[in-house]
Structures are given as C-alpha cells and as structure tokens.
C-alpha cells in the first residue's frame, strides 16, 4: 500500500477494511489467551466471558464483509486491491473460525470443570503458545505487508502439527494410565485438536496474505518454478 | 460537512444580490438594444438606397410616344408592286423616312410654315422614328400608299417634359424645350395623342447616344459572355487549386508562401488586375481589345482567390472523421477526396463561386483598363466582339449629360441588382438543395 | 492448474502471430511518441492496449494499418509483420493493406450516405462484388454479423447518420468487416456510447473474435478486463507490460501497471 489512490475515498474504505481485519486478529488472540487462561485455572466465569465475546467477533466479521462488498460494487478493485479485498474477506472468515475454536476450548473448559480434576497436559500450553505467536506474526505480516513473515508462519504450521501428534500420544497414554479420567482427557484431546486447527487457519491466512502481497499462490511456489519461463514466453 | 468549510447558501434576497442581478439584466438589455439599433440603421440605409434607386429607375422603364398620321406616300418610298421587292427594300433603306413625318406634320400643324420651325417640329420625335417607320415598311411593304396612325417615339427632351422632369416654369432661355415646342406638345396632348407606355426597347437594344433608343441588352450579353469565360476559367482552376493545397500539397515553406500570396491576392485592388490584363492579355498576347474573352480572363484572375479561399474553407470544414473512415476502409487519397470530401464541401464551394461571380459581375475597374468601356451599339455575338458590361454601361450612362440618362442609369442599376440578387438566391438555393441530399 | 493447461493449448495453436510489431518507433518531429514497441497479435484474440492519455497507444494502433502515413512529420521505424510480410515495405500497397487491416474509430463516423451505401462503400472501391446481387449479399451478411440487420433491414435507404450512437458504431463495424479484413483495429470504440450500446458493441466484438484478430485501444480498464484476452500497458511511449488480461488485472508484474490499473497514478 505504497501510493495513495487518486480517489481518497477508495483508500478510506480499504483502510477501514484493513483495520477491521486487524481488530479481528487482535480479538482472536485475546480470545485464545483468555480461553487458555480459563482452561489452566478451570475458571468457569472466565470461560463464559470467552463464549460471550465470540459474538463481537461475529459482528466484526459481518461488518468486514459489508465493507468488502461495498468496495467490490463501487470501486471495482483490480490487481493488488482486488487480491487484498478478496483475501480480506477470506481472512475474516478464518479469523472468525479461530474465534470459534477458542470458544470451543472454553466450552470444553466448562465441561472439564464438572469432571474430576486432572492435571492439564503441558503440551497444550506450548501449543497455545505457538498458535498465539503464529496469529501474532501473521497479523504483523498483514499489517506490514511482509510476505517473508507470512512464509515463515506458513512453514511453522508443521511444528504445530507435530506438537499436536505429541499431545495426542501424551493424552492417550494418560487415559490408559487412569481410565477414570478418560472423560476429562477426551476434552483435552479435543482442545488439542482445536489448537491444531487454529494453527491450520493461521497457515491458511498466511497463504492469503502471501497471495495478496505477491499475487502468487504459496502452495504453487515450489512446483511451479520450472514452468515459470514457459509462462513468460506465452504472450 | 459544509459547516467546516464555512460556506453559506447564497441569499438571493439580499439587497446586494438583487442590485447585482438588476445591473446584469440592465446591461444585457442595453446590449441587445445596441445590436437592434445597429441592425435597424443598416437596414434603413439599405432600404433608402434601394428605394431611391427604384424610384429613380421607375420612369426609365417607360417611354413617351406620340401618335401621328403617316401617309406612306408611294412618291417618297416607291411602289413595291412596280419596283419589285428587292429594289423597294433598297429604296426604303436609302430614303429619309423623316420626309414622311415632315409631310404628316405639315398637315397636322398647317400653321407652321417657317423652315426652322418645321425642322424643330421634327425634333419632337426621336431619331429612332426613322427606324421605326423603315422597319414597318420592311415588315409589310403592302402598307405603301396607305395612311396609318403610327405611335412614334418622342425625343428624350419631350419625354422628360411628359414625365415632369423638366421645369417649364423656368424662363424660356434656360430651357432646352422652348415655348413653341410646348405649345405643339399641348396640341398633341389635347388630341390625346401622347401616351406613356412600357419601353421594351430598353431591354432589347444596345447602347445609343439617344437615351430613348439606348438599352441594356448589349451590356447584359457582354456581361454574360464575360462571366461565362470567368466561370470556365476560375471555377476549375480555383477548385483544383483548393483541393491540391488542402489535401495533397506537402506542408512546407513553398506552399506556405503560395497560401500567403493567395490571401494577399484576394486583397489586391481590382484595378491592378485590369492593369495586368492590359499588359499581359492585350500587350503581350495581343488579344482583341474590349472583348469579353479578355474581360473574362481578367475577372477570372480577380475571382480566383475568392474561389480558392472559399473552397479551401469548405474543404477544411469536412470533418476529419469522414476522411479517417474512408482511409481506414482503404480508399486512396483521390477516392477520399472525390467520394467524400468534395460532395460534402460542394455546397460551400458553390456558394463561394457564385459570390465570386457576383463580385465579378459588379466589377468595373478592371474592365475599364482593358477597353470594355467603349461606346458599343451592336449586341456582341462572340467572345471576341467588342462588348461592354452592365456596370460599365452604368458608368457610361452616369457620365452622359442628357437628363434622360439619369433614369436610364438607375434602371440599369436596378437590373444589375436584380441579377446579383438572383445569383445570390441561386447560391442559397443550391446550397440548401445539396445539403439536403448530402 | 486448469488455467495453465488452456494457456499451454493456446500457445501451441497460436504459435504464429497474425501480426507482430518489431521494435516500432514513431517520431513526430522531435516528439518521440512510441519507443521501441514489440507486440504480437493473434487471431481469435482481442488484445487491448491501455495506458494514460498520450502514452502512444493510439499512435501505435494507427501504425498497424499505416494510418499515420498521412500525418505530416510522422516517421515510423521498425517492422510490422502481417503474415510475415513487413507492411512498411516499399512494395506494399497501403490501400490493400487497409482492406486487410480494418479500423473502427472513437467517434461513430458513418458516411453521410444511406446505410446501404455505407456498408457497400468498401466492397465497391475494392471491387469485391461483381454485381448488385453480390453486393446486396455482402451488405446483408456484414450487417448481420454486426448484429444490426434486424434493426435496419427495412430502412436501408435512410441515412446512416440518422441512427443512434450505438447503431452508428455497429454500422461502422459492419462497414469495416464488409471488406473481409483479417485484423480489426478499434480506437476507443465505445467512449461515445451509453452502457447499453457499449454492451452491444462488446458482445459483437466477442463474437467477431472467432474470425479476426482484434486490437482495441480503451481508456476503460473495466472494458479491457471484460473483453480482451491479452492486455498491453503503455506508458510514455513504452510498452511497460503485456500479458494475459487475467494476469494483468489480478497480479500485474510491473509497479507502473499496478498503479495505473488500480487508480494510483499521479
């Protein structure tokens, strides 16, 4: 977003869209942190707050969608503007989904509060930490239009996958140790899954940001490289 | 929004605004008034001019005749039965027809016996009376030996008296028409023998020293012949030059130079063209003097710039989009010009040409230089015959001393104006016709 | 993936361009209006030339059928190949060239003649019809292809200038295709038309591309995006970027292209 548009109202609308998306990102981080906090402390009040706050995220998503549709209808965006608006719409959906996962964690927390207390697997905390940093970095990449950071986040998706596998094994082992706690651990299992999903969404967002900035699809980068010169000569 | 910028809605009712509006309206009204009065002034001058000429010219189309009893005495003119037709005609040609008039007068004014007075009696009639009687006899030899009442042309002085242009209250010495003649005229009038009627001779005869015998036909034919030459030279040359300069000529210093010169040529006084005609056509080329051929060539030179400028303007006015369209379809430059540009420019070219021709028709000065100012009685029959032209005829008549030529001059001006108006009307009509068809 | 597949197919089919400009320079006196442009034009494709005013796109377009020849002081260097023959060769007849490379202009400019004569003019001057029946047929098919036949068939003798703006422009297109060109150049053909008429002309262009190579200069980026397969962006007499229209309008490679199409110029 180097030069301003000749039409400043266009810039205003894009800026508005961008600010909504970053606000949503911030809110998703808050929700994740709050949900994890509630989970650690098995604090039902805080978990309820997370559930309630998810509505705000939904509202913001609706607002972003409206703004984007307005830009499509009135500005007919092309090139990077087009990519930005399209990926913004997709990103809001993904961020909202992340919020949903945070909400799910809190829901599980409420369930866990009713079970017999068990020790929370440490890996979950680590996963949440990684996911949190991924969201933070990806929002940073978004705000500063940094494709490299986006690629970095995208590659980190794998780390979270591995952590999820580890958590899965760990929880399964604990279940087998104390079958009485299966109920609570099932919830932890699901929470691990949710955290892994949040990471998935973050990598998807990374793809969107990378596309918005470069115009290329991240998945294609490596396999496409050999075909590149051929496309160049096409016209 | 607007509050930030501190813009207030305009108050139409404020005294300042009202005054401003009133002032503007007044100024507009005043301007319109000036324009209208300018138009009225111009129009009234035109009407004054035309009215004056028409009033002056009206009597010019009329002519006084006096009815006289003529005895076509065989003793004077010979007997066609005895002499044979050819000998009779020969005889009639040689005979002074005034003897017939004299004989008639001797009977009518039997009291006039003095030789000088009898001569003066004859001078009541035009010199054309002779030709009148002769033509009657030539047309019908059988009237020889009979008596007939013939309406003879009155002389120009008598004509003026009848038309009331001669002040008979002046002392006799200051008058051309003396008391005796007036009394004779009175007698004719008492007998109801004097009539004022439409003078067709004015439109059919050539120039003459006698106003009552002079006509404009010779000048009109001269003008027509001259203009014909002008047209067939100036139109093609002018239009071709215009097309070449506008469509084909490269834009360089040489063509710029030519363009400037053409524009300058249009501003050159017409007499200069006359001098040129005199030097080149008469001097170098040795063409006949006073001929419509030379007049036409001279006027063509004068008209060329007008036609070229008008044609170029109308060619230029053809929208370039039409040229592009034709060229884009693969029309060659010549096809572009002849299929598209010329048809569209033609009304303009035609108008320019006709206006140029009208200008040539009204031109006197160059014709004076090449000798078309001579006194020519005969109607010109070819391009090399000596001839005169309408405006030159007007100039000649205006210069003549006889009072009767004043009205002839005005009448000729009226005829010339009529021609000009007809030509301009033709230009308008042609333009509209072609514009409709485009 | 699918897109690159079709792209590849197109490439093999259109290995030989219909027209191709090689290092074209145009100078008006001291003004270097077009600077070394090389561009290929293919059959069955609409190529749009976009760029700010005075970028040389119209000048370049007019080079393609040598309309600049008649402009005083205009000098063109470089080669433009039409079926591998340089149209600026000495032995090329410009009249024949223009029959093969037709042109449609910004302002609808029908001749002030009847609708019939407008369409028949090209075939007449090129001697394409041997008799009146042939000519009638050419006129009818041309108007049919221009989608105008149904609207004007009952008034072939009324003046072409009496039609509406959009109809006039379609008449001009019919007139251009009546001489059987291979390439059609269009210089902002819709800039004087309302949206409905524009849509009609655009539909027509889309249909016509099955038979011709079409080049269009347009100021409307939306129009270029809507109708063309290839887009070339001109700036200050240079060809800044050329490529698939979709690529240009989603991910232009050049900063200037991006700034222009997104409305960031100046």
């Amino acid at each position: 977003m180097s030069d301003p548009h000749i039409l400043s109202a266009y810039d205003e609308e894009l800026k508005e869209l961008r600010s909504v998306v970053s606000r949503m990102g911030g809110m998703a981080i808050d929700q994740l942190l709050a949900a994890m906090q509630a989970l650690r402390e098995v604090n039902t009040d805080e978990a309820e707050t997370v559930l309630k706050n998810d509505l705000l995220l939904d509202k913001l998503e609706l607002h972003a969608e409206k703004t984007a549709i307005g830009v499509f209808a009135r500005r007919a965006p092309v090139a990077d503007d087009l990519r930005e608006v399209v990926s913004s719409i997709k990103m809001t959906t993904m961020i909202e989904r992340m919020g949903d996962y945070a909400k799910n964690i809190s829901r599980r927390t409420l369930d866990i509060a009713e079970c017999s207390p068990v020790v929370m697997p440490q890996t979950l905390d680590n996963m949440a930490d990684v996911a949190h940093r991924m969201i933070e970095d990806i929002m940073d990449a978004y705000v500063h239009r940094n494709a490299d950071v986006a690629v970095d986040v995208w590659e980190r998706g794998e780390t979270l996958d591995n952590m999820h596998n580890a958590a899965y094994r760990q929880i399964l082992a604990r279940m087998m140790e104390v079958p009485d706690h299966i109920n609570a651990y099932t919830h932890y299992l699901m929470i691990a899954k949710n955290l892994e999903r949040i990471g998935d969404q973050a990598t998807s967002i990374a793809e969107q940001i990378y596309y918005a900035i470069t115009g290329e699809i991240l998945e294609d980068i490596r396999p496409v490289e050999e075909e590149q010169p051929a496309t160049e000569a096409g016209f | 929004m607007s509050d930030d910028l501190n813009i207030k809605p305009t108050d139409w009712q404020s005294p300042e605004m009202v005054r401003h509006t009133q002032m503007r309206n007044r100024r507009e009204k005043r301007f319109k008034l000036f324009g209208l009065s300018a138009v009225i002034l111009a129009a009234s001058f035109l009407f004054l001019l035309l009215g004056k000429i028409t009033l002056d010219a009206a009597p010019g189309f009329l002519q006084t005749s006096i009815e006289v009893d003529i005895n076509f005495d065989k003793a004077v003119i010979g007997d066609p039965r005895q002499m044979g037709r050819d000998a009779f005609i020969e005889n009639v040609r040689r005979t002074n027809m005034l003897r017939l008039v004299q004989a008639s007068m001797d009977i009518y004014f039997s009291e006039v016996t003095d030789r000088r007075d009898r001569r003066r009696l004859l001078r009541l009639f035009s010199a054309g009376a002779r030709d009148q009687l002769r033509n009657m006899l030539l047309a019908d030899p059988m009237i020889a030996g009979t008596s007939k009442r013939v309406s003879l042309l009155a002389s120009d002085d008598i004509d003026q008296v009848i038309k009331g242009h001669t002040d008979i209250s002046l002392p006799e010495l200051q008058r051309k028409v003396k008391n005796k003649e007036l009394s004779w005229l009175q007698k004719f009038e008492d007998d109801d023998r004097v009539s004022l009627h439409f003078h067709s001779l004015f439109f059919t005869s050539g120039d003459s020293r006698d106003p009552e015998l002079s006509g404009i036909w010779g000048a009109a034919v001269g003008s027509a012949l001259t203009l014909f030459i002008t047209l067939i030279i100036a139109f093609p040359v002018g239009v071709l030059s215009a097309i070449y300069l506008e469509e084909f000529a490269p834009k360089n210093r040489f063509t710029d130079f030519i363009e400037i010169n053409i524009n300058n040529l249009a501003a050159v006084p017409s007499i200069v063209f006359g001098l040129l005609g005199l030097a080149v056509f008469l001097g170098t080329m040795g063409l006949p003097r006073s001929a419509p051929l030379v007049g036409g060539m001279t006027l063509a030179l004068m008209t060329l710039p007008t036609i070229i400028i008008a044609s170029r303007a109308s060619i230029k006015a053809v929208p370039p989009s039409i040229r592009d369209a034709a060229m884009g379809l693969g029309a060659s430059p010549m096809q572009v010009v002849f299929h598209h540009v010329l048809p569209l420019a033609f009304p303009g070219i035609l108008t320019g040409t006709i206006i140029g021709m009208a200008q040539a028709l009204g031109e006197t000065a160059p014709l004076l230089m090449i000798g078309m100012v001579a006194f020519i009685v005969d109607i010109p029959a070819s391009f090399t015959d000596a001839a005169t032209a309408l405006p030159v005829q007007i100039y000649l008549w205006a210069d003549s001393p006889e009072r009767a030529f004043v009205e002839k001059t005005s009448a000729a001006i009226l005829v010339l104006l009529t021609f000009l108006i007809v030509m301009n009307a033709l230009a308008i009509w042609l333009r509209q016709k072609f514009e409709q068809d485009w | 993936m699918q897109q690159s597949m079709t792209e590849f197919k197109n490439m093999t089919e259109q290995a030989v361009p219909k027209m191709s400009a090689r290092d074209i320079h145009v100078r008006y006196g001291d003004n270097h209006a077009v600077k070394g442009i090389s561009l290929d034009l293919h059959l069955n494709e609409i190529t749009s030339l976009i760029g700010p005013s005075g970028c040389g796109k119209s000048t370049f377009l007019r080079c393609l059928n040598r309309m600049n020849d008649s402009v005083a002081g205009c000098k063109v260097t470089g080669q433009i190949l039409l079926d591998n023959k340089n149209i600026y060769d000495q032995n090329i007849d410009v009249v024949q060239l223009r029959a093969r490379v037709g042109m449609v202009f910004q302002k609808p400019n029908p001749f002030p003649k009847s609708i019939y004569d407008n369409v028949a003019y090209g075939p007449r001057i090129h001697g394409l019809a041997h008799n009146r029946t042939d000519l009638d047929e050419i006129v009818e098919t041309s108007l049919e292809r221009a989608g105008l036949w149904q609207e004007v068939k009952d008034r072939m003798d009324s003046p072409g200038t009496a039609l509406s703006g959009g109809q006039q422009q379609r008449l001009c297109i019919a007139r251009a295709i009546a001489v059987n060109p291979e390439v059609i150049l269009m210089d902002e053909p819709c800039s004087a038309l309302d949206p409905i008429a524009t849509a009609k002309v655009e539909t027509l262009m889309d249909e016509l591309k099955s038979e011709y190579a079409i080049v269009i200069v347009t100021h409307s980026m939306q129009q270029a995006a809507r109708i063309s397969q290839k887009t070339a962006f001109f700036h200050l007499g240079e060809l800044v970027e050329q490529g698939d229209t979709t690529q240009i309008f989603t991910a232009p490679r050049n900063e200037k292209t991006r700034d222009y199409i997104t409305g960031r110029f100046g």
Side-chain angles (χ1 to χ4, degrees):
Chain A
M1 204 44 196
S2 42
D3 304 317
H5 286 88
I6 298 166
L7 203 61
S8 57
Y10 190 178
D11 277 334
E12 296 295 321
E13 283 168 27
L14 287 178
K15 216 186 275 169
E16 166 73 10
L17 186 60
R18 202 164 297 154
S19 97
V20 172
V21 173
S22 6
R23 253 154 67 206
M24 285 181 75
M27 214 180 245
I29 293 171
D30 289 349
Q31 287 286 82
L32 174 62
L33 291 180
M36 286 312 290
Q37 181 77 18
L39 178 63
R40 265 192 300 272
E41 297 165 3
V42 200
N43 186 337
T44 49
D45 287 349
E46 212 164 316
E48 292 282 2
T49 320
V50 170
L51 292 185
K52 225 172 5 182
N53 281 350
D54 190 55
L55 285 176
L56 283 175
L57 208 53
D58 289 355
K59 258 190 207 159
L60 267 184
E61 191 209 356
L62 217 61
H63 178 57
E65 208 166 89
K66 270 188 191 159
T67 314
I69 288 173
V71 171
F72 275 128
R74 290 154 15 108
R75 313 293 177 204
V78 289
D80 52 354
D81 295 337
L82 174 67
R83 300 198 306 264
E84 166 153 7
V85 180
V86 169
S87 52
S88 292
I89 285 193
K90 287 177 123 179
M91 278 169 71
T92 53
T93 314
M94 292 166 184
I95 296 172
E96 196 266 343
R97 191 69 49 79
M98 294 200 290
D100 283 351
Y101 292 135
K103 191 175 75 178
N104 279 348
I105 293 173
S106 284
R107 213 172 263 152
R108 298 279 171 193
T109 307
L110 293 180
D111 290 343
I112 286 169
E114 280 164 22
C115 301
S116 49
V118 293
V119 179
M120 187 185 93
Q122 186 57 44
T123 333
L124 290 190
D125 237 356
N126 294 343
M127 277 181 80
D129 216 37
V130 171
H132 166 213
R133 237 168 311 123
M134 276 173 83
I135 305 175
E136 234 172 31
D137 287 352
I138 204 66
M139 289 323 290
D140 200 53
Y142 176 70
V143 172
H144 296 107
R145 325 292 300 161
N146 192 332
D148 292 342
V149 174
V151 174
D152 183 46
V153 173
W154 186 62
E155 279 164 350
R156 265 189 269 159
E158 224 165 319
T159 326
L160 204 60
D161 278 354
N162 293 337
M163 289 175 85
H164 173 245
N165 286 338
Y168 185 78
R169 278 192 302 273
Q170 193 182 3
I171 294 170
L172 220 57
R174 285 194 195 182
M175 279 174 164
M176 283 188 277
E177 275 169 29
V178 193
D180 285 355
H181 291 162
I182 281 184
N183 214 351
Y185 278 121
T186 308
H187 290 305
Y188 281 119
L189 207 57
M190 288 330 237
I191 288 170
K193 187 75 199 161
N194 280 328
L195 287 171
E196 190 248 1
R197 283 280 164 76
I198 289 179
D200 279 353
Q201 296 296 332
T203 51
S204 296
I205 292 176
E207 281 168 17
Q208 289 302 321
I209 290 173
Y210 186 82
Y211 174 69
I213 295 169
T214 62
E216 281 163 54
I217 298 189
L218 199 47
E219 275 182 354
D220 288 352
I221 305 182
R222 273 159 297 188
V224 164
E225 255 167 41
E226 295 125 47
E227 267 180 54
Q228 203 83 340
T231 344
E232 206 82 69
F235 186 39
Chain B
M1 248 187 352
S2 55
D3 289 356
D4 300 346
L5 297 165
N6 205 13
I7 291 174
K8 286 186 206 128
T10 314
D11 181 10
W12 296 102
Q13 305 304 322
S14 75
E16 201 185 337
M17 211 53 180
V18 169
R19 199 155 37 81
H20 185 80
T21 311
Q22 279 174 348
M23 224 156 81
R24 180 162 45 78
N25 288 343
R26 261 204 306 277
R27 230 177 274 146
E28 235 156 77
K29 214 183 252 172
R30 210 181 311 144
F31 180 76
K32 276 187 204 159
L33 209 69
F34 282 146
L36 189 65
S37 38
V39 170
I40 288 173
L41 191 72
S44 52
F45 273 129
L46 190 68
F47 279 119
L48 196 70
L49 183 77
L50 281 180
K52 167 90 171 82
I53 289 173
T54 314
L55 277 181
D56 282 355
F61 296 117
L62 300 175
Q63 173 64 40
T64 310
S65 293
I66 300 170
E67 285 178 17
V68 180
D69 297 312
I70 298 284
N71 175 24
F72 293 98
D73 192 354
K74 280 183 186 161
V76 180
I77 57 172
D79 186 347
R81 287 199 185 79
Q82 281 178 0
M83 301 167 73
R85 196 184 165 79
D86 292 340
F88 175 72
I89 287 171
E90 187 57 35
N91 197 38
V92 167
R93 288 235 159 94
R94 262 191 281 127
T95 316
N96 182 1
M97 288 296 156
L98 284 181
R99 282 167 65 191
L100 297 177
V101 183
Q102 187 76 72
S104 163
M105 287 301 104
D106 285 347
I107 297 165
Y108 195 71
F109 294 103
S110 46
E111 73 281 5
V112 180
T113 49
D114 181 49
R115 233 187 77 196
R116 285 235 302 279
D117 283 351
R118 283 174 67 213
R119 273 261 180 80
R120 279 166 71 187
L121 257 176
L122 274 187
R123 260 186 250 126
L124 288 175
F125 302 95
S126 160
R130 275 179 286 196
D131 296 318
Q132 219 179 334
L133 293 173
R134 189 173 290 137
N135 288 340
M136 279 176 80
L137 276 168
L138 292 179
D140 182 12
M142 286 309 128
I143 57 175
T146 61
S147 270
K148 248 187 139 175
R149 179 163 288 192
V150 180
S151 186
L152 290 179
L153 285 179
S155 78
D156 55 326
D157 295 331
I158 299 304
D159 185 45
Q160 291 303 301
V161 173
I162 295 299
K163 286 172 181 164
H165 292 156
T166 305
D167 191 357
I168 44 180
S169 59
L170 285 172
E172 191 175 6
L173 274 176
Q174 292 177 22
R175 275 189 264 128
K176 237 182 144 181
V177 186
K178 310 294 182 205
N179 285 342
K180 259 189 194 152
E181 279 145 355
L182 285 177
S183 66
W184 295 332
L185 189 59
Q186 195 57 50
K187 181 165 188 216
F188 278 126
E189 273 190 295
D190 291 345
D191 291 351
D192 207 13
R193 282 168 181 253
V194 179
S195 65
L196 203 60
H197 56 88
F198 180 71
H199 189 41
S200 58
L201 196 66
F202 180 69
F203 293 102
T204 54
S205 72
D207 199 7
S208 167
R209 293 281 180 230
D210 300 308
E212 73 276 11
L213 294 180
S214 60
I216 53 157
W217 183 238
V221 171
S223 271
L225 293 173
T226 308
L227 280 192
F228 181 74
I229 295 286
T230 306
L231 183 69
I232 61 165
I233 294 174
F235 182 69
V237 174
V239 173
L240 284 177
S241 311
I243 291 173
Y244 181 77
L245 284 174
E246 207 50 55
E247 297 283 332
F248 297 101
K251 292 275 170 284
N252 55 30
R253 251 179 227 185
F254 179 67
T255 46
D256 282 351
F257 177 75
I258 287 181
E259 192 173 335
I260 290 169
N261 277 293
I262 288 171
N263 291 338
N264 283 342
L265 223 52
V268 166
S270 56
I271 188 120
V272 177
F273 288 102
L275 284 168
L276 184 81
L278 178 66
V280 177
F281 299 142
L282 300 186
T284 312
M285 295 166 68
L287 292 171
R289 271 177 69 85
S290 310
L293 179 67
V294 179
M297 284 159 78
T298 310
L299 289 180
L301 286 182
M302 195 198 75
T303 318
L304 257 181
T306 313
I307 293 180
I308 292 176
I309 291 169
S311 302
R312 286 188 70 178
S314 47
I315 287 172
K316 221 179 243 167
V318 174
S321 64
I322 294 293
R323 272 174 256 252
D324 277 353
M327 242 161 50
L329 281 176
S332 68
M334 217 177 97
Q335 285 171 327
V336 173
V337 168
F338 285 94
H339 294 171
H340 301 285
V341 175
L342 263 196
L344 288 176
F346 197 65
I349 292 177
L350 214 61
T351 310
T353 306
I354 292 178
I355 285 171
M357 296 310 285
Q359 192 188 343
L361 175 65
E363 201 55 67
T364 325
L367 300 183
L368 299 185
M369 297 309 299
I370 56 148
M372 283 184 83
V373 72
F375 172 72
I376 290 141
V377 180
D378 294 328
I379 313 289
S382 78
F383 294 112
T384 47
D385 283 355
T388 179
L390 275 173
V392 180
Q393 187 69 72
I394 291 165
Y395 167 80
L396 283 172
W397 284 348
D399 223 22
S400 299
E402 286 89 345
R403 173 64 182 82
F405 271 123
V406 173
E407 56 194 48
K408 296 287 171 203
T409 307
S410 296
I413 288 172
L414 212 57
V415 170
L416 182 62
L417 281 179
T418 311
F419 272 119
L420 292 175
I421 288 168
V422 166
M423 283 177 83
N424 283 326
L426 188 74
I428 293 167
W429 180 73
L430 282 173
R431 190 173 52 208
Q432 277 177 350
K433 182 175 179 251
F434 280 102
E435 266 173 3
Q436 267 166 17
D437 290 347
W438 39 254
Chain C
M1 268 315 231
Q2 206 181 347
Q3 194 196 341
S4 57
M5 282 282 284
T6 48
E7 210 167 87
F8 183 67
K9 217 173 107 208
N10 284 348
M11 269 165 47
T12 45
E13 271 175 13
Q14 302 174 349
V16 183
K18 185 75 201 168
M19 266 188 119
S20 91
R22 299 256 184 280
D23 196 28
I24 288 295
H25 290 262
V26 183
R27 291 178 181 83
Y28 295 108
D30 295 336
N31 179 11
H32 199 165
V34 170
K35 300 167 186 164
I37 289 194
S38 298
L39 188 64
D40 287 350
L41 308 168
H42 295 277
L43 269 182
N44 310 328
E45 257 184 12
I46 300 178
T47 304
S48 52
L49 313 181
I50 59 171
S53 297
C55 67
K57 55 190 191 305
S58 282
T59 306
F60 175 72
L61 187 78
R62 292 170 75 93
C63 288
L64 295 175
N65 70 346
R66 293 182 56 178
M67 285 292 273
N68 285 337
D69 286 12
S70 58
V71 178
C74 175
K75 215 177 135 243
V76 181
T77 56
Q79 283 190 323
I80 293 177
L81 305 176
L82 174 61
D83 286 341
N84 278 321
K85 278 216 183 67
N86 184 10
I87 63 167
Y88 277 93
D89 260 357
Q90 291 278 303
N91 56 3
I92 290 280
D93 182 40
V94 69
V95 169
Q96 276 169 8
L97 167 71
R98 287 183 192 144
R100 294 180 65 187
V101 183
M103 190 152 188
V104 175
F105 297 86
Q106 178 173 7
K107 227 182 92 204
N109 54 355
F111 298 129
K113 298 179 193 297
S114 71
I115 293 171
Y116 184 93
D117 286 340
N118 259 286
V119 182
Y121 182 71
R124 269 187 191 138
I125 58 171
H126 292 295
L128 298 183
H130 302 293
N131 51 47
R132 179 79 190 194
T133 330
D134 278 5
L135 195 60
D136 285 351
E137 205 179 303
I138 292 177
V139 170
E140 184 178 335
T141 45
S142 303
L143 284 168
E144 194 101 56
R145 272 147 89 198
L148 199 62
W149 176 248
Q150 289 303 322
E151 290 163 61
V152 301
K153 64 179 175 192
D154 300 324
R155 45 176 177 151
M156 295 297 281
D157 291 328
S158 61
T161 42
L163 295 172
S164 74
Q167 288 174 325
Q168 285 188 20
Q169 196 60 296
R170 278 182 287 151
L171 177 64
C172 292
I173 293 173
R175 184 175 66 184
I177 58 183
V179 292
N180 251 329
E182 293 149 72
V183 181
I184 302 178
L185 312 176
M186 297 187 167
D187 194 352
E188 298 181 49
C190 299
S191 64
L193 306 183
D194 67 60
I196 304 286
T198 301
K200 283 186 182 164
V201 171
E202 285 176 1
T203 313
L204 170 60
M205 288 170 68
D206 203 52
E207 286 163 11
L208 290 176
K209 83 167 193 273
S210 65
E211 290 170 68
Y212 310 101
I214 298 178
V215 189
I216 174 174
V217 162
T218 176
H219 271 138
S220 160
M221 251 95 61
Q222 290 311 309
Q223 184 174 52
R226 277 197 302 268
I227 58 171
S228 64
Q229 282 69 51
K230 294 285 161 67
T231 299
F233 171 64
F234 285 61
H235 182 50
L236 298 175
E238 280 166 16
L239 178 59
V240 174
E241 184 169 354
Q242 54 170 313
D244 273 3
T245 301
T246 316
Q247 178 251 310
I248 296 275
F249 281 95
T250 53
R253 295 195 179 92
N254 192 290
E255 189 95 339
K256 275 187 198 147
T257 316
R258 185 209 65 168
D259 284 355
Y260 180 69
I261 62 174
T262 57
R264 282 192 180 90
F265 245 56

